[in-house]
Amino acid sequence: MTGDSNRPAEFLSGKMLWEQNRSKIHIASTISLKRNIEKFNFPGKLSSDLQKTILSLLTKEMMKNQLLKGLVLFPAEKTEAIDKEYLMEHFLASEKIFQAHAGEAFMIDEEGKFLAIINLDNHIEFFYLDVFDQLENSWNLIVKIETELGKALRYAFDPRFGFLTSDPGDCGTGFEAVAYLQLPGLIHSGQIDHVLDNSSDESIAIMGLQGSPTEIIGDILVIKNNYVLGESEEKIVSSLRTLITKLMVEEVAERSKIKKEGTAEIKDRVSRAFGILVHSYQIEAVEALNALSLVKLGLDLGWIEGITIEDINKLFFNCRRAHLLQHITGTPVNEELSHKRAEFIHTTLKNVTQLI
């Protein structure tokens, strides 16, 4: 099925994945695999005719995959910039999506959890989104999908370097696992550095949403594997799960301590964050994400009521630019968007009250 008459943003906006997330800490996890077809050059060295050939081969075989339901193909040249931005936001994918042009494409399943990127950096990149903290299940599923395609189209593989990719640093498993954890308790109590120092693992990288290890947005830490060559998928997933579990346990303990002690400084931060969200005339995305994390913490600690964790998780994603544009009438100029964001947040939080 080709999404010629549909936009990816319209297709995905009805999936409502984020409002199914009831976790107070786990925002999402993603699994990706990079593969190339044997005997073909990498996409950057392909003629337009060969690009079309590979796109046709991959599309035909992917549509046969019984593990994926309702796959829709979106040709990159027909996908607008705002839709690419929506794809990036929805799947928490990298900005390389913006570089996709003619001869390249996106395939999305009917649940909005699976994304295949075709002919961009590699012939195909499988991407799976998990909002239920089921990292292991997601890994098993994407391996089955990749294996099924590999039965029909042989992958480029070298006994020494594993699966071959356009970036030598991605050779080996071509596998990346990423977890997004929201840790306001540890961050605002100043305990996060101590916890991370005691959990150091050189095979795992820890950073913020935009890739910086020092700029943390929305109190979210992004945890991912550092290496794909010389590390098995099992080892990567196991190491990631160990750290995820430790951080979640430490965050729960820190929140219990904050609630018991009634820390004035953190109460003040939650109160200020709530005020910013409900009274701002305009608000930028980063400021909104930072404030929402504190309000979510306040809700968990019993300092705020009138909204669910699911609704805050949903709002956290819907206040970003591409998602926000799906919820407001018209196409505001950039100067108006921050005001529209504030209005959208006001509406969502209209029944919320502060108890401190």
Side-chain angles (χ1 to χ4, degrees):
M1 177 180 176
T2 303
D4 290 349
S5 59
N6 297 311
R7 294 174 46 224
E10 293 174 348
F11 179 75
L12 286 168
S13 63
K15 306 307 175 187
M16 298 183 292
L17 283 181
W18 306 113
E19 67 181 26
Q20 300 174 45
N21 182 1
R22 297 175 175 86
S23 176
K24 300 170 183 177
I25 299 172
H26 175 266
I27 295 294
S29 299
T30 60
I31 295 285
S32 64
L33 285 170
K34 300 175 177 66
R35 295 292 184 263
N36 289 281
I37 303 172
E38 191 178 55
K39 297 180 180 177
F40 285 98
N41 289 332
F42 294 128
K45 298 292 184 180
L46 290 175
S47 66
S48 59
D49 287 341
L50 281 177
Q51 271 189 319
K52 292 176 184 177
T53 298
I54 291 174
L55 178 57
S56 177
L57 282 171
L58 288 170
T59 302
K60 179 181 176 182
E61 294 302 328
M62 287 296 291
M63 290 294 184
K64 295 178 184 177
N65 199 308
Q66 296 299 307
L67 295 167
L68 295 167
K69 304 298 182 184
L71 274 181
V72 178
L73 176 70
F74 294 96
E77 67 270 22
K78 297 181 180 180
T79 305
E80 298 178 10
I82 192 63
D83 288 282
K84 292 175 183 176
E85 185 175 347
Y86 195 100
L87 283 173
M88 183 186 74
E89 290 179 358
H90 179 88
F91 287 102
L92 298 167
S94 72
E95 293 182 355
K96 69 181 181 182
I97 282 179
F98 286 109
Q99 301 166 12
H101 297 99
E104 299 154 6
F106 309 105
M107 297 186 79
I108 309 170
D109 75 326
E110 66 181 10
E111 291 186 314
K113 296 179 180 178
F114 174 82
L115 169 70
I117 304 174
I118 300 175
N119 276 343
L120 190 49
D121 292 335
N122 298 283
H123 294 150
I124 187 166
E125 181 171 343
F126 306 90
F127 204 92
Y128 195 82
L129 175 67
D130 159 39
V131 296
F132 301 112
D133 194 18
Q134 297 175 346
L135 184 68
E136 294 79 5
N137 291 343
S138 301
W139 165 50
N140 288 328
L141 177 59
I142 205 168
V143 167
K144 288 177 181 177
I145 294 169
E146 176 261 359
T147 301
E148 192 66 25
L149 180 63
K151 293 176 182 177
L153 301 172
R154 185 165 177 158
Y155 297 127
F157 184 86
D158 183 276
R160 295 170 299 169
F161 301 112
F163 291 102
L164 302 179
T165 57
S166 60
D167 182 346
D170 290 332
C171 290
T173 59
F175 174 76
E176 183 177 78
V178 187
Y180 299 81
L181 302 182
Q182 199 160 37
L183 305 168
L186 291 171
I187 288 172
H188 290 281
S189 66
Q191 294 299 308
I192 189 64
D193 288 340
H194 173 71
V195 172
L196 292 178
D197 287 343
N198 290 334
S199 312
S200 61
D201 182 341
E202 66 173 15
S203 70
I204 296 177
I206 300 176
M207 61 196 71
L209 272 177
Q210 295 183 335
S212 169
T214 57
E215 185 183 5
I216 306 302
I217 296 172
D219 299 322
I220 291 179
L221 289 190
V222 181
I223 306 163
K224 59 186 286 189
N225 54 300
N226 249 333
Y227 311 118
V228 295
L229 185 60
E231 293 272 2
S232 68
E233 293 172 9
E234 291 87 350
K235 176 66 165 56
I236 291 169
V237 172
S238 175
S239 296
L240 211 66
R241 172 55 69 194
T242 298
L243 184 54
I244 290 170
T245 301
K246 180 174 177 56
L247 288 174
M248 291 180 76
V249 168
E250 293 283 0
E251 174 69 14
V252 170
E254 191 62 35
R255 292 187 188 191
S256 296
K257 181 181 176 182
I258 293 169
K259 185 173 184 179
K260 182 180 179 180
E261 296 179 352
T263 311
E265 182 180 352
I266 295 182
K267 280 186 175 180
D268 184 62
R269 292 184 187 183
V270 170
S271 182
R272 288 172 183 269
F274 180 70
I276 286 170
L277 291 173
V278 299
H279 294 300
S280 291
Y281 179 80
Q282 56 184 13
I283 188 168
E284 299 299 329
V286 171
E287 185 180 19
L289 297 180
N290 289 337
L292 281 169
S293 176
L294 282 163
V295 167
K296 183 178 171 183
L297 174 64
L299 175 65
D300 186 34
L301 297 180
W303 299 344
I304 285 174
E305 66 177 12
I307 193 169
T308 64
I309 292 291
E310 297 96 309
D311 284 337
I312 291 188
N313 285 339
K314 180 181 175 183
L315 180 58
F316 197 86
F317 283 87
N318 281 339
C319 74
R320 294 169 303 162
R321 196 175 87 100
H323 277 65
L324 181 63
L325 288 171
Q326 283 295 114
H327 292 278
I328 59 179
T329 304
T331 306
V333 296
N334 288 335
E335 299 79 49
E336 298 174 333
L337 191 62
S338 59
H339 173 56
K340 294 292 184 181
R341 179 180 291 108
E343 287 185 329
F344 181 73
I345 293 172
H346 295 167
T347 300
T348 307
L349 300 181
K350 64 183 179 181
N351 296 319
V352 179
T353 55
Q354 183 179 323
L355 303 176
I356 53 174

